[in-house]
Amino acid sequence: MKSTGKKKGKRIDSRRAIESDMAARRQRFYDSGAPASILMLVLFIVLATLILSLNLSTQGASGNIWPGSKILLVYGVIIMFLSIGMGLYVAAHQRRIIQNHLRGGVLLTCLLIMIVLVRLGVRQDWSAYLIVVPVMITATMMTIAYSQRFALGLSAFLGMVSMLALAENETITFREGMGALLATGSGTGIAILMLREIRTRTKLIEVCCIAGIVVFVMTVVFELWQNNNWQSLLWKGAWGAGGTIAVGFVMQGLLPLIERVFRVCTNMTLLDYSGATRPLLRRLAVEAPGTFNHSWQIGMLSEAAAEAIGANGLLCRVGSYYHDVGKLIKPRYFVENQAENVNQHKELSPTMSRMIIIGHVKDGLELLREYKIPKVLHQFTATHHGTTVVAYFYHEATKKESEDGRVVPETEFRYPGPKPQSKESAIVMLADAVEGASRAMQEPTPSRIENVVTDMAMIRLQDGQFDECDLTMRELHQIEGSLVKSLCGMYHGRIAYPKQEKPAKNQTDTTKATNAN
């Protein structure tokens, strides 16, 4: 009887463990935002099916725009499987869209608008090659807002959906439809791969012009495949190329709106905020010139280090300019802004000094919000010290408290964080540390600089400051090499100029007499 009771107890315990595990999984599923995202995807499938299956063609004889059940079923099944594939692709490569429902809603709304444009083009009997316009618009938007790989996936999805819309037009042959799809894919692929960075105002137009040439050539080739006459193929090629080039001008005007809607910051915006005439940077130069110079040097160091590992060098540089703006509140309490032999911390306790030093991070974030600096730059202010220890004042407090026999907790002298979340913010953290340490050296020789950079990197690595960013050991080594090279260039040796001896008194009198004659 006892053995039976024990077995029953074990079954109950195992059942409770399974139920608890399932409950935890359900909770994680709800917290991930997946249920709402699935509902949004279902709504997208329904709306896309209705848009594509409505009888909007000019050949409709009955005048009834509502589709039959057969058409709904066919389009519904095709759109469902394409959309599920798109949803899995989004979850794999841009999970933040799943977690942020606003982003997901904006993305699906943009896709629906593009599908409506394709459907209206079919209704107006426009050239099949004009499907390049909505696909190209989507491609450029996704490249700017997210990444090239993500843009390629979304463009492929919209291209296949567009082919469904073209299938309703009986005047478009299968070869023409395939030609339109391949020409659109070629032009879109070229545009996406060339849009890695937008550093000039004409970049979008240049890219779309090159893509337009590709679309024109591909269109002519596919029209020759159908044995069409030269007038027809040149006309259709002009439609495809013209639509592609027009996208460049349209997107150039919509670029500020895209940044605001998708909450992204392009390199064009970063360049706008990198000028020393920006109000916040101009104030930093006037009120805290030492910090301004320090930030400018970190910008050069971090940009070179970021480019060494293929990260965004411009983002690092501009982020460095703003990372220490919190020192504007109490500039004289930071060594780079202090006059010679004037230390504001002499009259303060280590605890009070710690509060002032750590407070510049919070003050900096408040200033960035006040001056409406793009949010992508806030990470550099928040994470450039991570959760490191304010070492100098921690040691001062330890000395003072050790006399009284008390121990100072290290956690009290740590920055609140967060730790760097990206490669760029980790680079700025390390560049900030090594620049200050190199400046404090009496004789910054290359070997000493290399030792300092290696030590600083290892200290932060062992302290866990790089745990939350995807920085690899190989990339960290490359960053160290770049920082050493840049610092050696900044603190290179100079030839001492010979001192000019003062001429003797009698020689001076002779010279004066000669000049007088």
Side-chain angles (χ1 to χ4, degrees):
M1 291 292 291
K2 287 183 179 180
S3 61
T4 305
K6 287 181 179 179
K7 288 181 180 179
K8 187 176 180 181
K10 288 181 179 179
R11 288 174 190 164
I12 293 172
D13 291 341
S14 61
R15 190 182 303 150
R16 285 176 179 173
I18 293 171
E19 290 176 355
S20 176
D21 184 54
M22 291 179 65
R25 289 182 180 180
R26 282 196 298 268
Q27 189 61 43
R28 285 196 298 269
F29 177 71
Y30 294 139
D31 293 340
S32 67
S37 299
I38 291 172
L39 289 175
M40 292 169 62
L41 187 63
V42 170
L43 180 61
F44 171 81
I45 292 170
V46 172
L47 293 176
T49 302
L50 289 174
I51 293 169
L52 289 173
S53 56
L54 289 179
N55 185 19
L56 295 176
S57 63
T58 54
Q59 291 86 2
S62 62
N64 183 18
I65 67 170
W66 296 107
S69 57
K70 181 180 176 182
I71 298 175
L72 274 176
L73 178 63
V74 171
Y75 277 102
V77 171
I78 296 174
I79 293 294
M80 180 182 68
F81 283 110
L82 289 177
S83 299
I84 290 174
M86 179 193 69
L88 294 174
Y89 186 82
V90 170
H93 298 290
Q94 289 293 337
R95 193 161 187 82
R96 56 178 173 162
I97 297 177
I98 304 295
Q99 297 168 343
N100 189 326
H101 300 143
L102 180 60
R103 281 183 177 272
V106 170
L107 174 62
L108 295 179
T109 301
C110 290
L111 290 176
L112 284 173
I113 292 173
M114 295 302 110
I115 293 172
V116 169
L117 289 178
V118 173
R119 197 70 180 88
L120 291 176
V122 172
R123 181 190 178 188
Q124 299 297 325
D125 284 330
W126 289 345
S127 171
Y129 292 96
L130 276 178
I131 66 167
V132 71
V133 174
V135 176
M136 186 70 72
I137 290 174
T138 303
T140 52
M141 279 197 300
M142 295 302 108
T143 306
I144 293 168
Y146 297 105
S147 66
Q148 292 172 305
R149 180 171 61 180
F150 187 69
L152 284 170
L154 267 291
S155 302
F157 167 80
L158 187 59
M160 288 184 284
V161 173
S162 300
M163 290 305 295
L164 285 177
L166 290 178
E168 284 294 302
N169 194 330
E170 296 177 357
T171 62
I172 298 176
T173 64
F174 175 77
R175 282 190 177 185
E176 187 175 5
M178 286 299 298
L181 180 63
L182 293 175
T184 298
S186 302
T188 303
I190 292 292
I192 290 173
L193 295 175
M194 292 182 64
L195 266 181
R196 189 180 177 204
E197 289 186 344
I198 304 177
R199 290 205 178 194
T200 61
R201 297 192 181 278
T202 59
K203 179 70 173 180
L204 279 168
I205 298 172
E206 291 171 3
V207 168
C208 287
C209 285
I210 295 172
I213 294 172
V214 173
V215 171
F216 179 81
V217 172
M218 293 292 287
T219 303
V220 170
V221 168
F222 283 113
E223 287 297 306
L224 284 173
W225 183 34
Q226 299 178 74
N227 298 319
N228 287 333
N229 57 59
W230 282 98
Q231 184 179 1
S232 174
L233 63 89
L234 290 176
W235 180 250
K236 289 181 179 179
W239 271 111
T244 306
I245 295 171
V247 168
F249 289 94
V250 172
M251 296 306 294
Q252 182 65 38
L254 293 178
L255 189 58
L257 180 62
I258 294 170
E259 292 183 353
R260 185 174 294 273
V261 169
F262 287 96
R263 296 182 180 181
V264 295
C265 185
T266 64
N267 286 343
M268 281 299 301
T269 302
L270 290 176
L271 286 171
D272 289 340
Y273 279 88
S274 67
T277 56
R278 278 281 167 179
L280 186 55
L281 292 181
R282 188 167 61 241
R283 183 182 165 190
L284 186 68
V286 173
E287 299 180 26
T291 300
F292 179 82
N293 182 58
H294 162 73
S295 300
W296 229 250
Q297 289 187 335
I298 290 177
M300 292 185 289
L301 291 172
S302 60
E303 183 177 27
E307 290 176 352
I309 65 169
N312 192 333
L314 179 61
L315 178 61
C316 280
R317 174 160 63 87
V318 182
S320 299
Y321 294 165
Y322 290 90
H323 82 285
D324 260 347
V325 291
K327 294 180 179 179
L328 275 171
I329 306 301
K330 295 182 177 69
R332 301 303 170 195
Y333 286 89
F334 298 90
V335 64
E336 67 266 26
N337 300 312
Q338 291 174 355
E340 192 174 354
N341 299 324
V342 178
N343 188 350
Q344 302 288 339
H345 291 279
K346 284 184 178 179
E347 306 299 326
L348 301 178
S349 66
T351 303
M352 185 61 69
S353 296
R354 176 213 66 182
M355 292 174 63
I356 294 173
I357 298 299
I358 290 177
H360 86 275
V361 174
K362 179 175 173 289
D363 295 335
L365 291 172
E366 291 177 355
L367 282 170
L368 294 180
R369 285 190 285 267
E370 179 185 343
Y371 282 83
K372 294 182 173 56
I373 304 301
K375 285 193 175 181
V376 71
L377 299 177
H378 291 204
Q379 60 175 316
F380 299 98
T381 301
T383 65
H384 73 280
H385 286 295
T387 58
T388 56
V389 179
V390 187
Y392 178 82
F393 293 109
Y394 172 67
H395 291 305
E396 289 293 314
T398 303
K399 287 180 186 177
K400 190 174 181 180
E401 296 298 334
S402 62
E403 297 173 0
D404 301 331
R406 289 182 292 180
V407 178
V408 179
E410 190 182 76
T411 53
E412 291 185 6
F413 282 80
R414 282 189 177 272
Y415 283 90
K419 297 176 182 179
Q421 309 290 314
S422 65
K423 292 179 182 180
E424 288 80 7
S425 56
I427 290 169
V428 171
M429 167 192 266
L430 189 55
D432 183 29
V434 300
E435 196 278 334
S438 301
R439 186 185 292 273
M441 294 171 61
Q442 295 295 329
E443 295 181 12
T445 61
S447 59
R448 289 182 178 180
I449 289 174
E450 185 175 2
N451 290 335
V452 165
V453 172
T454 303
D455 290 344
M456 287 292 177
M458 288 302 103
I459 288 171
R460 274 149 183 75
L461 180 65
Q462 293 169 3
D463 197 29
Q465 299 303 316
F466 303 139
D467 288 353
E468 298 179 13
C469 63
D470 55 348
L471 197 66
T472 65
M473 290 298 296
R474 180 178 182 180
E475 289 171 337
L476 182 60
H477 182 68
Q478 291 173 328
I479 292 167
E480 290 177 30
S482 175
L483 291 174
V484 170
K485 183 179 178 181
S486 299
L487 286 169
C488 289
M490 289 169 58
Y491 298 109
H492 61 276
R494 291 182 179 273
I495 298 174
Y497 289 101
K499 294 182 179 178
Q500 246 183 338
E501 296 181 1
K502 293 183 179 179
K505 186 176 180 182
N506 57 356
Q507 184 179 352
T508 306
D509 294 339
T510 305
T511 304
K512 287 181 180 179
T514 304
N515 292 336
N517 295 332

